[in-house]
Amino acid sequence: MSEPSGSPRHAERSKLVDRARKLDAGDELRAKREEFVLDDTVYLDGNSLGALPRAVPARVADVVAREWGELRIRSWTESGWWTAPERIGDRIAPLIGAAPGQVVVGDSTSVNIFKALVAAVRLVDDDTRDEILVDATTFPTDGYIAESAARMTGRRLVPVAPGELASALGPRTAAALVNHVDYRAGCLHDLPGLTAAVHDAGALAVWDLCHSAGALPVDVDAHGVDLAVGCTYKYLNGGPGSPAYLYVRAGHQERFDSPLPGWNSHADPFGMTAGYVPAAGAPRGRVGTPDILSMLALEAALDVWDGVRIEAVRAKSLALTDFFLECVEAYVPKGRAESVTPAAHPERGSQVSLRCADAAAVMERLIARGVVGDHRRPDILRFGFTPLYVSFADVERAGAVLGEVLSA
């Protein structure tokens, strides 16, 4: 639905279109967009699945045809397959503010949460600390895994809203599992403050970084995070089902006791001995044979981060989400959608979530018109903003189409 030329609404859109053009012209990251496979769709679902980096298809083709097809078993050594989990972990490390040797790639986010949480309780090694606190607003899998970890370690699971976590901590707390960014509303939780509070209570902090790594600074080393996990298929663009990663702070690695001691984490994996002796450092977080095809696709995808400052990513993320909220205010009829994402920058991740009564149907209409986000039942529209490839022109178009759909 177009507005007549000269109407107030047309004039307002002209201003926003012009602003988008100027913002794109001054964007430090604008050249990165060319490193992705994109079309004329406005893709705002990178918080679920990142776009395909252009370097990946050729790399995967080479892995399949040459490394697997020709070298075969020799590729474990000659192509570096065996060391991929730590090598790729070291490439992810700067994106979460970690020094080398503390991140290992492999398994799923769920499996790594289980490893991290059970290991955290074992690191505390105090039977009087019989509670595990978990973010009550967490992604469901985190809660399921935490409940199982609590049963396995003889602890009681205590769900707590992130805003109440500090006051819930006490002498019975062994560990706390918290999401850095709320997956529904996009709220950014206070990682430095909550980590310090957990430590003051004598417990360990485990963070889920799925919705923050690659979108904003995390600085796990600087803030004393004990263990952290994250996926790689969202803002890191590793592809569907790409392997997750596990961060274990260097000071904890010697005592890190994984509940899944597979042969890949053995100090002498090819010794095939009956007794388990854990490897030193990050490899201790490995379990079984690495999923090489998806792991090496991820490694190629990480090339898009060459030369990128995470501070620039955060600055653009905030500018994109600010501009989207401005477009929503300008284009969407009053009362049709309400932002549930914090307006304050320190409390916002890299997404905007809108409460809308008919969210599922609205998202279907948006996708049909080339604006791709997603929804969470019953009434949340989610829009993720990946700074490496989302433009301000994309944002303006998304806001305008949303306004037209909600005006129909």
Side-chain angles (χ1 to χ4, degrees):
M1 180 176 63
S2 60
E3 294 292 328
S5 178
S7 70
R9 189 178 180 89
H10 183 272
E12 177 68 14
R13 181 159 193 197
S14 294
K15 289 180 183 178
L16 290 171
V17 168
D18 185 57
R19 281 209 31 231
R21 189 180 300 114
K22 291 177 180 176
L23 287 167
D24 281 329
D27 176 17
E28 175 182 332
L29 300 173
R30 65 186 181 278
K32 283 291 169 180
R33 183 180 174 92
E34 299 304 315
E35 297 183 33
F36 291 86
V37 177
L38 299 168
D39 51 26
D40 62 355
T41 298
V42 176
Y43 189 66
L44 302 181
D45 210 7
N47 54 331
S48 285
L49 176 64
L52 172 66
R54 291 188 182 277
V56 172
R59 176 63 178 128
V60 171
D62 182 62
V63 172
V64 172
R66 183 180 62 84
E67 295 184 5
W68 180 13
E70 297 175 13
L71 296 177
R72 294 178 286 274
I73 197 72
R74 292 160 53 196
S75 279
W76 284 106
T77 52
E78 293 181 28
S79 300
W81 287 3
W82 184 259
T83 58
E86 301 87 67
R87 182 178 73 243
I88 302 171
D90 280 345
R91 293 194 64 182
I92 290 173
L95 301 177
I96 63 171
Q102 299 176 101
V103 179
V104 65
V105 173
D107 307 309
S108 67
T109 305
S110 302
V111 171
N112 283 321
I113 289 172
F114 182 73
K115 292 182 212 170
L117 201 50
V118 172
V121 173
R122 291 175 174 177
L123 282 165
V124 170
D125 193 23
D126 183 347
D127 289 340
T128 68
R129 292 187 173 272
D130 60 356
E131 293 181 348
I132 295 174
L133 304 189
V134 63
D135 174 359
T137 62
T138 189
F139 189 76
T141 286
D142 292 39
Y144 306 155
I145 295 292
E147 199 277 332
S148 179
R151 289 201 316 271
M152 180 177 178
T153 58
R155 266 64 181 180
R156 183 172 72 95
L157 189 67
V158 182
V160 181
E164 299 171 4
L165 180 68
S167 60
L169 294 162
R172 297 180 63 179
T173 307
L177 171 63
V178 192
N179 276 256
H180 196 192
V181 175
D182 180 280
Y183 79 102
R184 281 175 58 84
C187 304
L188 174 63
H189 298 139
D190 181 10
L191 184 146
L194 290 177
T195 300
V198 170
H199 289 168
D200 287 345
L204 296 187
V206 181
W207 284 90
D208 181 331
L209 308 178
C210 285
H211 287 267
S212 56
L216 52 92
V218 180
D219 295 328
V220 288
D221 280 358
H223 299 310
V225 169
D226 299 294
L227 301 107
V229 301
C231 66
T232 61
Y233 48 79
K234 299 181 191 294
Y235 296 108
L236 300 186
N237 311 295
S242 57
Y245 58 88
L246 169 69
Y247 163 85
V248 181
R249 190 170 184 82
H252 293 315
Q253 289 182 0
E254 187 175 348
R255 294 181 54 238
F256 176 78
D257 183 6
S258 173
L260 299 172
W263 78 286
N264 258 235
S265 63
H266 197 287
D268 182 15
F270 293 97
M272 303 299 172
T273 56
Y276 178 74
V277 179
R284 191 174 291 201
R286 294 172 63 155
V287 183
T289 304
D291 42 355
I292 291 298
L293 297 182
S294 58
M295 188 167 292
L296 297 185
L298 166 64
E299 184 172 34
L302 292 172
D303 287 349
V304 301
W305 291 96
D306 291 347
V308 173
R309 298 183 307 111
I310 196 65
E311 294 78 13
V313 170
R314 178 56 169 165
K316 184 177 177 183
S317 165
L318 291 172
L320 288 168
T321 50
D322 277 344
F323 189 52
F324 183 69
L325 288 169
E326 184 179 346
C327 291
V328 169
E329 177 70 20
Y331 298 146
V332 173
K334 302 298 182 186
R336 283 296 277 124
E338 171 195 6
S339 175
V340 296
T341 301
H345 286 181
E347 300 171 11
R348 187 195 309 164
S350 197
Q351 74 181 59
V352 172
S353 295
L354 305 176
R355 179 166 286 121
C356 179
D358 47 351
V362 168
M363 186 52 68
E364 285 184 8
R365 293 198 291 274
L366 287 172
I367 292 171
R369 294 192 53 181
V371 175
V372 179
D374 64 19
H375 76 281
R376 289 291 178 265
R377 291 183 288 180
D379 59 358
I380 297 295
L381 297 170
R382 294 197 321 165
F383 302 93
F385 298 83
T386 305
L388 295 189
Y389 57 77
V390 173
S391 70
F392 290 92
D394 287 337
V395 171
E396 190 281 328
R397 178 180 158 196
V401 173
L402 177 63
E404 291 172 7
V405 166
L406 292 180
S407 297

